[in-house]
Each structure stands twice: as C-alpha cells, then as structure tokens.
Amino acid sequence: MAGLNQKSILDMIKEFRRNWHTLCNSERTTVCGADSMLLALQLSMAENNKQSRLLDFLSGREYAVDDETDFSEPASPMSKHNQENEKVRLLAKKIIYSYLNLLVNSKNDLALAHILNIPDRGLGREAFTDLKHAAREKQMSIFLVATSFIRTIELGGKGYAPSPSDPLRAHIKGLSNFINFIDKLDEILGEISNPSIAGGRILSVIKMQLTKGQNSRDPFYKAVEEVAQDLDLRIKNIINSQQGDVALSTTDISPARPKSHTINHGTAYCGRDTVKALLVLLDEEAASAPTKNKAELLYDDENTIHPNGTSVLTLFRRCKFFCWKTNNWNKFWKCSSGQK
C-alpha cells in the first residue's frame, strides 16, 4: 500500500514538473515532503503563537502515543545498537540531501537551516535569526541575503565594509565559509559536462567536508560514506534512465538545446542535465513515506548529531523541548524570534 501511495505522489510530482514552465521560467524548484513541511511549520511557530491548536500539535500532546509503535518488548542491546546506527545514517542522509536541495534551489530556506552550521562554522541560532530578519526586511531568500553580504565584502574592498550596527557583521567568517563552499559545488555544475561524473564529484566534495578531521571508524563517518555511495549509484541510474527515455523519444528536439523553459537561464548547458538528475533524486525523497511518530520528528533532541556542528533546527528544537518541559512558552516565543 505504501508503495502505491508513493507511486501516485511521484506521478503527481512529474505532472507538476511538466506544467511548471507555464508559470515560471526556472525549473529549479524543489518539492517538500511531509516531514519537511512539518519542520517548516516548526520554524514558523513564533509567528503563530495565538493558535492554540497549533501549539497542542507541536507540543506533542496529540502524538503522546503512536498507535503503530509497539511498546510491549524492551529493546535488546543489539536492536538498540542497530537503532542508533540507523539514526546516524538518517542524519547523514538528511544533511547530504539538504546540501543538494540548496544547490539546486537557493531559495530553500529549510535546507539552509539544516546545514548552515554543519560542519561547525560558528553559525548558531543567533546567526540564523539575524539572516532571517534581514531576508524578511529585504524580501529575499536567506541564502541570497548571505551571498550578497559576503560578495559585497569580498569584491567591494574597504569602502564596502559592513556598518558596525549590521547584525551580520559578527558572522562574516562563518558566512564566508558557507557561501564559498556552496560556490565550490556550483562550480562543479558549470565545469563538468558529464552529469554522472558531476553528480559523483558533488557528493565526494560534500562527503569530504562532513568527514574532515573525523576518525574513519566513527559511525557518522561510515554513515556519510555509505549514503554518498548509495546516492551516487542512484544518480547514475537516474541518468541512465533519462538517456534511455531520450533514445526512445520520437521528438526532433536535440537534448543539447534547452527548451525555452530551461532550468535556469544562467545555468551552463553542461550543468542542466546534472540538475535535472538531482531534481529527480530529490523528488523521489520528497515522495517517501512520512515519519510515523510526529512527536519524535518534532521533539527528538538529536543526541546523535554531527560530531562537529549542530543544525539550527536542533537548536530551536532543544529550546522548545526545554520550554515544553517547564511549561514556559513565553520564553520559547522569545527564543524562536531571536530575542535574548
């Protein structure tokens, strides 16, 4: 049944892809899965504090007991070990997918929130809140705000130094590190014409970034390697499938000549096929079954985190969990909105 539901969702997404060009010139739009939409809702809590039902939902009161979870047998040491390994693998998968999401769609603020500080760049809750406020003020995506801020400093010289009152001034080093790394991934799209090689190189660079300085026997290190290898194979399979579809097509349109609704007017021809393959990969992930236990999704304190960095979402989640335990929601509204 789950497989049938996933297929219908994928069919819906494919239909969306086919018709999106009538509304927009760019196909660089990512689709959010059920879990991602819940996490986006979690980030928006502070702006919905008057909706008591939303508060009940996010506090886990409606999901205190998951009816599909069996509590009758305690977990054995081996099963607990397997569960921990699976959590580490899911975390590695979430991080890598977030990098790919942001690479193909720089407006994906949720993906940015996942990876802004993984690995550790000194960009915590305060940095994310400052970026969020600047993005809202300028009506731009968070990534574009960060990019324009760093570009102005790097290319403008001393005359373009940020004002002492600019909150982003305190995050220059971390933001520069983050933007330059995304630039490195973007360069691979524009410089490598073979999408299979480009996809593998992108995953390799992300893997090196996440495992830098880590012990190769560390569970997270192994998980990153396994996930990167699995995604590399899936990308190659997607590309082979796409090439097969082109070979069977009866149209006279050359695959080397982008249509008028090309992925991005600024995207190099050689990067277009790679982005298309990544979008298919991300669409498949978005269509996967949502987490059964919503309270766990929203309230897990993620003890199993990246050994060198913490997701911004985890920082918000910890603040929320503390406020829920102490019933101090006024503190959480301040925490979520960046107030001291």
Side-chain angles (χ1 to χ4, degrees), residues 86-137:
E86 182 61 20
K87 284 184 70 174
V88 174
R89 195 177 192 284
L90 289 174
L91 176 63
K93 185 178 177 182
K94 182 192 300 182
I95 293 170
I96 294 177
Y97 266 110
S98 294
Y99 271 110
L100 297 179
N101 262 303
L102 189 65
L103 178 63
V104 301
N105 181 10
S106 62
K107 295 181 180 180
N108 193 326
D109 290 345
L110 183 62
L112 181 142
H114 275 301
I115 57 175
L116 183 65
N117 198 43
I118 297 181
D120 186 12
R121 301 181 175 96
L123 300 173
R125 181 174 59 82
E126 184 179 351
F128 180 77
T129 303
D130 290 339
L131 283 169
K132 184 177 68 172
H133 290 169
R136 183 174 301 164
E137 181 182 338

Side-chain angles (χ1 to χ4, degrees), residues 179-194:
I179 296 302
N180 289 332
F181 179 69
I182 301 299
D183 282 346
K184 186 184 296 185
L185 300 180
D186 221 7
E187 285 172 7
I188 296 173
L189 285 176
E191 294 176 357
I192 300 180
S193 58
N194 186 311

Side-chain angles (χ1 to χ4, degrees), residues 251-306:
T251 62
D252 295 326
I253 299 176
S254 167
R257 182 182 180 83
K259 299 178 183 179
S260 60
H261 53 274
T262 183
I263 283 178
N264 188 313
H265 292 307
T267 299
Y269 287 165
C270 64
R272 183 172 183 263
D273 289 338
T274 305
V275 173
K276 285 178 68 177
L278 292 177
L279 284 172
V280 172
L281 179 73
L282 296 170
D283 286 349
E284 290 177 352
E285 179 63 17
S288 60
T291 301
K292 293 178 181 178
N293 190 331
K294 305 303 184 296
E296 180 179 327
L297 171 70
L298 296 173
Y299 274 88
D300 184 6
D301 62 357
E302 292 194 21
N303 289 322
T304 310
I305 60 173
H306 185 274

Side-chain angles (χ1 to χ4, degrees), residues 3 16 22 59 78 87 95 144 155 179 213 241-242 329 337-338:
F16 160 78
T22 60
S59 66
M78 181 56 70
K87 284 184 70 174
I95 293 170
L144 187 55
L155 303 177
I179 296 302
S241 174
Q242 290 176 335
W329 287 101
S337 59

Side-chain angles (χ1 to χ4, degrees), residues 234-248:
R234 288 179 62 186
I235 289 173
K236 285 178 169 57
N237 289 337
I238 289 169
I239 292 169
N240 290 336
S241 174
Q242 290 176 335
Q243 291 172 343
D245 291 341
V246 170
L248 293 173

Side-chain angles (χ1 to χ4, degrees), residues 1 11 16 43 77 98 124 172 194 219 231 250 264 281 322 334:
M1 183 62 71
D11 289 342
F16 160 78
L43 278 179
S98 294
I172 292 177
N194 186 311
L231 294 185
T250 57
N264 188 313
L281 179 73
F322 170 79
K334 293 181 180 180

Side-chain angles (χ1 to χ4, degrees), residues 25-259:
N25 287 327
S26 173
E27 290 177 6
R28 282 198 174 201
T29 302
T30 45
V31 177
C32 284
D35 289 349
S36 294
M37 287 189 280
L38 279 177
L39 291 173
L41 185 62
Q42 184 181 29
L43 278 179
S44 304
M45 272 189 69
E47 296 166 22
N48 295 276
N49 56 359
K50 294 181 180 179
Q51 299 183 22
S52 58
R53 183 162 179 77
L54 176 65
L55 181 60
D56 289 340
F57 174 79
L58 291 175
S59 66
R61 293 168 194 164
E62 296 185 9
Y63 293 89
V65 178
D66 186 69
D67 55 7
E68 297 188 39
T69 305
D70 183 9
F71 296 102
S72 57
E73 294 183 13
S76 66
M78 181 56 70
S79 64
K80 187 174 181 180
H81 176 72
N82 292 337
Q83 288 173 3
E84 288 300 317
N85 284 340
E86 182 61 20
K87 284 184 70 174
V88 174
R89 195 177 192 284
L90 289 174
L91 176 63
K93 185 178 177 182
K94 182 192 300 182
I95 293 170
I96 294 177
Y97 266 110
S98 294
Y99 271 110
L100 297 179
N101 262 303
L102 189 65
L103 178 63
V104 301
N105 181 10
S106 62
K107 295 181 180 180
N108 193 326
D109 290 345
L110 183 62
L112 181 142
H114 275 301
I115 57 175
L116 183 65
N117 198 43
I118 297 181
D120 186 12
R121 301 181 175 96
L123 300 173
R125 181 174 59 82
E126 184 179 351
F128 180 77
T129 303
D130 290 339
L131 283 169
K132 184 177 68 172
H133 290 169
R136 183 174 301 164
E137 181 182 338
K138 298 178 181 180
Q139 296 185 338
M140 296 160 59
S141 72
I142 294 177
F143 181 78
L144 187 55
V145 165
T147 302
S148 61
F149 177 73
I150 294 301
R151 292 282 186 272
T152 301
I153 295 173
E154 292 179 343
L155 303 177
K158 294 182 179 180
Y160 290 86
S163 164
S165 61
D166 191 337
L168 297 182
R169 185 186 180 99
H171 315 302
I172 292 177
K173 184 178 179 180
L175 290 176
S176 177
N177 178 291
F178 180 67
I179 296 302
N180 289 332
F181 179 69
I182 301 299
D183 282 346
K184 186 184 296 185
L185 300 180
D186 221 7
E187 285 172 7
I188 296 173
L189 285 176
E191 294 176 357
I192 300 180
S193 58
N194 186 311
S196 292
I197 296 176
R201 184 71 60 83
I202 288 169
L203 290 170
S204 177
V205 170
I206 294 174
K207 180 181 73 173
M208 289 174 60
Q209 177 81 345
L210 295 178
T211 58
K212 186 177 181 180
Q214 305 301 318
N215 191 313
S216 59
R217 290 174 292 182
D218 184 86
F220 184 79
Y221 189 107
K222 292 180 180 179
V224 169
E225 283 203 321
E226 290 174 4
V227 171
Q229 186 176 4
D230 176 58
L231 294 185
D232 186 26
L233 180 61
R234 288 179 62 186
I235 289 173
K236 285 178 169 57
N237 289 337
I238 289 169
I239 292 169
N240 290 336
S241 174
Q242 290 176 335
Q243 291 172 343
D245 291 341
V246 170
L248 293 173
S249 174
T250 57
T251 62
D252 295 326
I253 299 176
S254 167
R257 182 182 180 83
K259 299 178 183 179

